[in-house]
Amino acid sequence: MKIQELAAARHMQDLAFDIRELHAQIFMLNNSYRNPYHMMVWVTGGKGILNIDGTLYTIAPGQLLLMAAGQMYQVQNNHLLQGYVLSFSDAFWERTPASARNCKATLFNNARLQQLLVLDDDAGASLTKIMQHLLEEYQADSYSNKPDVLAAFLKIIIIKAANLRSLLTISTHNHDYRLYQRFLELVNQEYHRQHNVSAYAEKLGLSTRKLTEVCKQYGGEGAKELINHRLIVEAQRLLQFSEQPIKEISFSLNFASPYQFSNFFKKNTSQSPAAYKKQFAEIGI
């Protein structure tokens, strides 16, 4: 391999992009995974059950699953699954034209709102062709502009996925919608330091009432509920995957005390942090 090709290959690795065929052996049953990158799973055959952040999804042909970076998932049933698994980092996404940025934000900033999309036969056949072409390009020999070509394919897939749910009917020039997307970005950046709606509203130049209205309009939940959900998801991941004591987890998420954290967690999950952590310790996860 030439020096230029080696450099291009290393650059692609740094940018974190991957596509592979989905088959029954790709996931170990009942193993929990924390997704480091954004992921799209396009199912063309077989069936299964996927647990994403505590919600079960029965997956079947014609379904496209979207998982944002950091989401936790577990395959609980996997019967002859076929299709494609596509993953990419934010750094790789930056290679796509700015015109597609709103599509990615719409799909992944609050992925649980559109975790599973169902495609009709025509849309499914079209997506399968694009995925196959992308896989062939990805597996081809490296060349200097290869990441840009892959990014172009990714842009097409993201735009098509966004259009499936008419998510782009909201104008990119809509001021309130842009505020909503900015709020979600801020929550992802600040949730472990800031829990108060008023602090986010101040950063966005809004009243707390206006921010809550915007969140309910575009996200179906109030600002406080969205913040709490992000905290709970992270708390569950830390309790399940880290060896930190509950006391350290509570302080890392900026709770005043383990008691306050425990009350918050139990109110939102009906379990204490200790009980939640214990159930995974008992099954060896």
Side-chain angles (χ1 to χ4, degrees):
M1 186 180 287
K2 296 179 181 178
I3 293 176
Q4 295 93 330
E5 292 176 341
L6 281 170
R10 290 195 192 100
H11 186 51
M12 282 181 58
Q13 187 176 15
D14 292 340
L15 289 173
F17 176 90
D18 181 74
I19 181 171
R20 63 186 67 188
E21 288 186 283
L22 171 66
H23 49 77
Q25 290 75 38
I26 200 169
F27 300 114
M28 292 183 66
L29 287 180
N30 299 317
N31 270 30
S32 293
Y33 301 90
R34 183 173 183 176
N35 198 26
Y37 308 117
H38 305 299
M39 181 184 289
M40 307 179 79
V41 180
W42 168 231
V43 183
T44 61
K47 59 183 179 180
I49 297 175
L50 189 63
N51 183 327
I52 305 176
D53 283 338
T55 300
L56 293 180
Y57 296 90
T58 300
I59 52 179
Q63 294 178 345
L64 178 66
L65 289 107
L66 307 175
M67 286 184 276
Q71 286 197 283
M72 188 168 65
Y73 65 96
Q74 180 186 77
V75 179
Q76 297 185 345
N77 180 279
N78 186 345
H79 183 67
L80 302 177
L81 280 174
Q82 295 176 309
Y84 301 88
V85 179
L86 169 63
S87 60
F88 63 95
S89 66
D90 284 326
F92 187 86
W93 178 254
E94 291 301 317
R95 302 191 71 91
T96 64
S99 60
R101 302 288 162 79
N102 185 63
C103 304
K104 184 258 186 181
T106 299
L107 290 172
F108 290 100
N109 274 4
N110 193 2
R112 65 195 180 99
L113 293 181
Q114 54 274 326
Q115 204 87 70
L116 187 150
L117 305 179
V118 180
L119 282 65
D120 61 29
D121 290 343
D122 289 341
S126 175
L127 183 58
T128 297
K129 288 180 182 178
I130 296 170
M131 287 285 192
Q132 183 59 43
H133 288 319
L134 176 54
L135 178 62
E136 291 170 357
E137 191 65 33
Y138 180 72
Q139 294 175 335
D141 291 339
S142 296
Y143 53 91
S144 59
N145 294 326
K146 185 172 181 178
D148 295 323
V149 173
L150 298 177
F153 275 107
L154 179 60
K155 172 192 172 182
I156 293 170
I157 291 171
I158 292 292
I159 290 175
K160 281 183 171 292
N163 276 311
L164 287 173
R165 289 282 294 272
S166 300
L167 296 173
L168 296 185
T169 56
I170 302 171
S171 171
T172 58
H173 302 293
N174 183 305
H175 179 65
D176 283 356
Y177 182 68
R178 292 202 307 271
L179 286 173
Y180 169 67
Q181 292 292 350
R182 179 59 182 147
F183 168 69
L184 293 179
E185 292 170 3
L186 283 173
V187 171
N188 282 332
Q189 296 166 9
E190 303 287 339
Y191 69 89
H192 57 289
R193 292 187 290 266
Q194 185 55 257
H195 306 169
N196 295 324
V197 175
S198 59
Y200 291 99
E202 183 177 352
K203 286 188 176 184
L204 294 169
L206 302 173
S207 67
T208 56
R209 181 177 178 179
K210 175 62 175 178
L211 178 56
T212 294
E213 289 175 354
V214 167
C215 289
K216 286 183 176 179
Q217 180 179 359
Y218 295 108
E221 294 179 300
K224 186 60 175 176
E225 286 73 24
L226 291 169
I227 296 168
N228 287 351
H229 177 78
R230 186 66 184 88
L231 277 167
I232 286 296
V233 167
E234 186 61 22
Q236 289 174 325
R237 290 171 187 151
L238 291 172
L239 289 166
Q240 182 173 351
F241 289 107
S242 80
E243 297 181 358
Q244 294 182 64
I246 292 173
K247 179 179 179 180
E248 290 184 12
I249 292 174
S250 68
F251 291 137
S252 71
L253 294 176
N254 202 30
F255 285 89
S257 68
Y259 178 77
Q260 184 191 46
F261 170 64
S262 181
N263 283 346
F264 170 81
F265 191 89
K266 191 170 184 178
K267 180 180 178 180
N268 286 275
T269 67
S270 299
Q271 279 186 298
S272 69
Y276 184 85
K277 189 176 183 68
K278 182 181 179 182
Q279 72 184 9
F280 293 103
E282 288 176 345
I283 61 175
I285 292 180

mmCIF file of all heavy atoms in Angstrom, residues 192 234-235 238-239 242-259 261-262 273 277:
data_model
loop_
_atom_site.group_PDB
_atom_site.id
_atom_site.type_symbol
_atom_site.label_atom_id
_atom_site.label_comp_id
_atom_site.label_asym_id
_atom_site.label_seq_id
_atom_site.Cartn_x
_atom_site.Cartn_y
_atom_site.Cartn_z
ATOM 1 N N HIS A 192 -24.477 16.853 33.237
ATOM 2 C CA HIS A 192 -23.778 16.392 34.437
ATOM 3 C C HIS A 192 -23.322 17.549 35.322
ATOM 4 O O HIS A 192 -22.814 17.315 36.419
ATOM 5 C CB HIS A 192 -22.567 15.530 34.054
ATOM 6 C CG HIS A 192 -21.589 16.215 33.157
ATOM 7 N ND1 HIS A 192 -21.866 16.484 31.834
ATOM 8 C CD2 HIS A 192 -20.355 16.700 33.394
ATOM 9 C CE1 HIS A 192 -20.823 17.098 31.289
ATOM 10 N NE2 HIS A 192 -19.904 17.242 32.214
ATOM 11 N N GLU A 234 -27.855 8.375 31.783
ATOM 12 C CA GLU A 234 -26.436 8.344 32.161
ATOM 13 C C GLU A 234 -26.245 7.640 33.497
ATOM 14 O O GLU A 234 -25.287 6.864 33.668
ATOM 15 C CB GLU A 234 -25.874 9.763 32.224
ATOM 16 C CG GLU A 234 -24.372 9.818 32.470
ATOM 17 C CD GLU A 234 -23.572 9.137 31.378
ATOM 18 O OE1 GLU A 234 -24.081 8.990 30.236
ATOM 19 O OE2 GLU A 234 -22.419 8.730 31.656
ATOM 20 N N ALA A 235 -27.138 7.877 34.450
ATOM 21 C CA ALA A 235 -27.040 7.208 35.747
ATOM 22 C C ALA A 235 -27.146 5.691 35.572
ATOM 23 O O ALA A 235 -26.387 4.931 36.194
ATOM 24 C CB ALA A 235 -28.144 7.708 36.680
ATOM 25 N N LEU A 238 -23.849 4.348 34.174
ATOM 26 C CA LEU A 238 -22.786 4.327 35.181
ATOM 27 C C LEU A 238 -23.008 3.213 36.205
ATOM 28 O O LEU A 238 -22.063 2.531 36.605
ATOM 29 C CB LEU A 238 -22.707 5.686 35.880
ATOM 30 C CG LEU A 238 -22.191 6.855 35.029
ATOM 31 C CD1 LEU A 238 -22.348 8.170 35.770
ATOM 32 C CD2 LEU A 238 -20.738 6.634 34.637
ATOM 33 N N LEU A 239 -24.250 3.027 36.612
ATOM 34 C CA LEU A 239 -24.546 1.980 37.579
ATOM 35 C C LEU A 239 -24.299 0.593 36.990
ATOM 36 O O LEU A 239 -23.869 -0.327 37.691
ATOM 37 C CB LEU A 239 -26.004 2.084 38.041
ATOM 38 C CG LEU A 239 -26.331 3.274 38.954
ATOM 39 C CD1 LEU A 239 -27.838 3.468 39.053
ATOM 40 C CD2 LEU A 239 -25.724 3.085 40.347
ATOM 41 N N SER A 242 -19.916 0.970 35.203
ATOM 42 C CA SER A 242 -18.747 1.439 35.943
ATOM 43 C C SER A 242 -18.649 0.749 37.295
ATOM 44 O O SER A 242 -19.608 0.160 37.787
ATOM 45 C CB SER A 242 -18.812 2.961 36.141
ATOM 46 O OG SER A 242 -19.668 3.284 37.223
ATOM 47 N N GLU A 243 -17.477 0.840 37.886
ATOM 48 C CA GLU A 243 -17.261 0.288 39.219
ATOM 49 C C GLU A 243 -17.330 1.368 40.294
ATOM 50 O O GLU A 243 -17.000 1.122 41.457
ATOM 51 C CB GLU A 243 -15.908 -0.428 39.269
ATOM 52 C CG GLU A 243 -15.841 -1.630 38.326
ATOM 53 C CD GLU A 243 -14.512 -2.345 38.405
ATOM 54 O OE1 GLU A 243 -13.632 -1.882 39.172
ATOM 55 O OE2 GLU A 243 -14.334 -3.354 37.707
ATOM 56 N N GLN A 244 -17.757 2.557 39.900
ATOM 57 C CA GLN A 244 -17.859 3.655 40.864
ATOM 58 C C GLN A 244 -18.915 3.350 41.925
ATOM 59 O O GLN A 244 -19.996 2.850 41.602
ATOM 60 C CB GLN A 244 -18.260 4.948 40.180
ATOM 61 C CG GLN A 244 -17.248 5.529 39.211
ATOM 62 C CD GLN A 244 -17.752 6.835 38.632
ATOM 63 O OE1 GLN A 244 -17.937 7.811 39.348
ATOM 64 N NE2 GLN A 244 -17.971 6.852 37.334
ATOM 65 N N PRO A 245 -18.637 3.673 43.172
ATOM 66 C CA PRO A 245 -19.682 3.570 44.205
ATOM 67 C C PRO A 245 -20.816 4.542 43.895
ATOM 68 O O PRO A 245 -20.619 5.547 43.192
ATOM 69 C CB PRO A 245 -18.951 3.968 45.497
ATOM 70 C CG PRO A 245 -17.505 3.803 45.193
ATOM 71 C CD PRO A 245 -17.353 4.088 43.728
ATOM 72 N N ILE A 246 -21.997 4.245 44.399
ATOM 73 C CA ILE A 246 -23.154 5.107 44.140
ATOM 74 C C ILE A 246 -22.892 6.531 44.607
ATOM 75 O O ILE A 246 -23.311 7.503 43.962
ATOM 76 C CB ILE A 246 -24.401 4.515 44.827
ATOM 77 C CG1 ILE A 246 -24.780 3.200 44.139
ATOM 78 C CG2 ILE A 246 -25.577 5.495 44.778
ATOM 79 C CD1 ILE A 246 -25.884 2.428 44.827
ATOM 80 N N LYS A 247 -22.170 6.690 45.706
ATOM 81 C CA LYS A 247 -21.845 8.020 46.219
ATOM 82 C C LYS A 247 -21.077 8.821 45.171
ATOM 83 O O LYS A 247 -21.384 10.002 44.928
ATOM 84 C CB LYS A 247 -21.029 7.901 47.494
ATOM 85 C CG LYS A 247 -20.621 9.229 48.100
ATOM 86 C CD LYS A 247 -19.826 9.021 49.395
ATOM 87 C CE LYS A 247 -19.386 10.355 49.996
ATOM 88 N NZ LYS A 247 -18.617 10.156 51.244
ATOM 89 N N GLU A 248 -20.077 8.205 44.527
ATOM 90 C CA GLU A 248 -19.284 8.902 43.516
ATOM 91 C C GLU A 248 -20.115 9.217 42.279
ATOM 92 O O GLU A 248 -19.953 10.281 41.667
ATOM 93 C CB GLU A 248 -18.066 8.068 43.140
ATOM 94 C CG GLU A 248 -17.019 7.973 44.232
ATOM 95 C CD GLU A 248 -15.783 7.219 43.780
ATOM 96 O OE1 GLU A 248 -15.643 6.981 42.556
ATOM 97 O OE2 GLU A 248 -14.958 6.870 44.647
ATOM 98 N N ILE A 249 -20.995 8.294 41.903
ATOM 99 C CA ILE A 249 -21.864 8.547 40.755
ATOM 100 C C ILE A 249 -22.764 9.744 41.024
ATOM 101 O O ILE A 249 -22.959 10.604 40.159
ATOM 102 C CB ILE A 249 -22.702 7.289 40.432
ATOM 103 C CG1 ILE A 249 -21.804 6.173 39.911
ATOM 104 C CG2 ILE A 249 -23.801 7.622 39.421
ATOM 105 C CD1 ILE A 249 -22.517 4.853 39.695
ATOM 106 N N SER A 250 -23.307 9.813 42.225
ATOM 107 C CA SER A 250 -24.202 10.929 42.557
ATOM 108 C C SER A 250 -23.483 12.262 42.446
ATOM 109 O O SER A 250 -24.029 13.227 41.914
ATOM 110 C CB SER A 250 -24.786 10.740 43.957
ATOM 111 O OG SER A 250 -23.795 10.873 44.954
ATOM 112 N N PHE A 251 -22.241 12.321 42.917
ATOM 113 C CA PHE A 251 -21.492 13.578 42.851
ATOM 114 C C PHE A 251 -21.019 13.880 41.428
ATOM 115 O O PHE A 251 -20.960 15.041 41.023
ATOM 116 C CB PHE A 251 -20.305 13.543 43.817
ATOM 117 C CG PHE A 251 -20.710 13.566 45.272
ATOM 118 C CD1 PHE A 251 -20.092 12.734 46.195
ATOM 119 C CD2 PHE A 251 -21.716 14.415 45.721
ATOM 120 C CE1 PHE A 251 -20.467 12.754 47.545
ATOM 121 C CE2 PHE A 251 -22.103 14.444 47.053
ATOM 122 C CZ PHE A 251 -21.477 13.609 47.960
ATOM 123 N N SER A 252 -20.718 12.833 40.645
ATOM 124 C CA SER A 252 -20.281 13.065 39.264
ATOM 125 C C SER A 252 -21.409 13.638 38.419
ATOM 126 O O SER A 252 -21.162 14.312 37.410
ATOM 127 C CB SER A 252 -19.778 11.763 38.640
ATOM 128 O OG SER A 252 -20.845 10.862 38.375
ATOM 129 N N LEU A 253 -22.659 13.385 38.832
ATOM 130 C CA LEU A 253 -23.821 13.931 38.123
ATOM 131 C C LEU A 253 -24.344 15.202 38.799
ATOM 132 O O LEU A 253 -25.435 15.669 38.490
ATOM 133 C CB LEU A 253 -24.922 12.876 38.038
ATOM 134 C CG LEU A 253 -24.588 11.644 37.191
ATOM 135 C CD1 LEU A 253 -25.708 10.611 37.263
ATOM 136 C CD2 LEU A 253 -24.324 12.039 35.744
ATOM 137 N N ASN A 254 -23.565 15.719 39.737
ATOM 138 C CA ASN A 254 -23.835 17.009 40.379
ATOM 139 C C ASN A 254 -25.075 17.009 41.263
ATOM 140 O O ASN A 254 -25.807 18.007 41.328
ATOM 141 C CB ASN A 254 -23.937 18.129 39.336
ATOM 142 C CG ASN A 254 -23.679 19.499 39.946
ATOM 143 O OD1 ASN A 254 -22.925 19.634 40.911
ATOM 144 N ND2 ASN A 254 -24.321 20.522 39.399
ATOM 145 N N PHE A 255 -25.321 15.896 41.957
ATOM 146 C CA PHE A 255 -26.359 15.885 42.978
ATOM 147 C C PHE A 255 -25.732 16.309 44.308
ATOM 148 O O PHE A 255 -24.564 16.010 44.579
ATOM 149 C CB PHE A 255 -26.994 14.504 43.093
ATOM 150 C CG PHE A 255 -27.936 14.193 41.962
ATOM 151 C CD1 PHE A 255 -27.466 13.590 40.797
ATOM 152 C CD2 PHE A 255 -29.282 14.528 42.048
ATOM 153 C CE1 PHE A 255 -28.320 13.323 39.747
ATOM 154 C CE2 PHE A 255 -30.148 14.260 41.001
ATOM 155 C CZ PHE A 255 -29.672 13.660 39.844
ATOM 156 N N ALA A 256 -26.501 16.980 45.114
ATOM 157 C CA ALA A 256 -25.973 17.519 46.373
ATOM 158 C C ALA A 256 -25.570 16.425 47.345
ATOM 159 O O ALA A 256 -24.678 16.612 48.174
ATOM 160 C CB ALA A 256 -27.004 18.446 47.022
ATOM 161 N N SER A 257 -26.232 15.271 47.238
ATOM 162 C CA SER A 257 -25.941 14.166 48.154
ATOM 163 C C SER A 257 -26.400 12.860 47.532
ATOM 164 O O SER A 257 -27.265 12.858 46.641
ATOM 165 C CB SER A 257 -26.657 14.376 49.489
ATOM 166 O OG SER A 257 -28.063 14.251 49.311
ATOM 167 N N PRO A 258 -25.865 11.726 47.991
ATOM 168 C CA PRO A 258 -26.359 10.431 47.523
ATOM 169 C C PRO A 258 -27.848 10.245 47.814
ATOM 170 O O PRO A 258 -28.555 9.593 47.043
ATOM 171 C CB PRO A 258 -25.502 9.428 48.313
ATOM 172 C CG PRO A 258 -24.248 10.177 48.620
ATOM 173 C CD PRO A 258 -24.684 11.599 48.852
ATOM 174 N N TYR A 259 -28.315 10.825 48.912
ATOM 175 C CA TYR A 259 -29.733 10.732 49.265
ATOM 176 C C TYR A 259 -30.592 11.410 48.204
ATOM 177 O O TYR A 259 -31.610 10.871 47.770
ATOM 178 C CB TYR A 259 -29.963 11.371 50.630
ATOM 179 C CG TYR A 259 -31.408 11.382 51.070
ATOM 180 C CD1 TYR A 259 -32.021 10.217 51.554
ATOM 181 C CD2 TYR A 259 -32.168 12.553 51.012
ATOM 182 C CE1 TYR A 259 -33.353 10.224 51.952
ATOM 183 C CE2 TYR A 259 -33.496 12.570 51.408
ATOM 184 C CZ TYR A 259 -34.086 11.396 51.873
ATOM 185 O OH TYR A 259 -35.406 11.403 52.265
ATOM 186 N N PHE A 261 -29.750 11.988 45.081
ATOM 187 C CA PHE A 261 -29.629 11.180 43.862
ATOM 188 C C PHE A 261 -30.535 9.952 43.928
ATOM 189 O O PHE A 261 -31.233 9.616 42.965
ATOM 190 C CB PHE A 261 -28.171 10.762 43.655
ATOM 191 C CG PHE A 261 -27.982 9.739 42.568
ATOM 192 C CD1 PHE A 261 -28.280 10.031 41.245
ATOM 193 C CD2 PHE A 261 -27.489 8.472 42.869
ATOM 194 C CE1 PHE A 261 -28.101 9.086 40.236
ATOM 195 C CE2 PHE A 261 -27.311 7.523 41.876
ATOM 196 C CZ PHE A 261 -27.607 7.830 40.557
ATOM 197 N N SER A 262 -30.527 9.287 45.065
ATOM 198 C CA SER A 262 -31.343 8.083 45.232
ATOM 199 C C SER A 262 -32.828 8.391 45.081
ATOM 200 O O SER A 262 -33.566 7.654 44.408
ATOM 201 C CB SER A 262 -31.069 7.459 46.610
ATOM 202 O OG SER A 262 -31.828 6.281 46.773
ATOM 203 N N PRO A 273 -31.024 3.188 43.236
ATOM 204 C CA PRO A 273 -29.767 2.930 42.521
ATOM 205 C C PRO A 273 -29.115 1.618 42.935
ATOM 206 O O PRO A 273 -28.585 0.882 42.094
ATOM 207 C CB PRO A 273 -28.901 4.129 42.898
ATOM 208 C CG PRO A 273 -29.864 5.208 43.247
ATOM 209 C CD PRO A 273 -31.025 4.510 43.880
ATOM 210 N N LYS A 277 -28.295 -1.464 40.389
ATOM 211 C CA LYS A 277 -26.924 -1.936 40.218
ATOM 212 C C LYS A 277 -26.806 -3.423 40.570
ATOM 213 O O LYS A 277 -26.125 -4.186 39.880
ATOM 214 C CB LYS A 277 -25.984 -1.115 41.103
ATOM 215 C CG LYS A 277 -24.497 -1.356 40.869
ATOM 216 C CD LYS A 277 -23.670 -0.421 41.733
ATOM 217 C CE LYS A 277 -22.185 -0.588 41.469
ATOM 218 N NZ LYS A 277 -21.809 -0.109 40.119
#
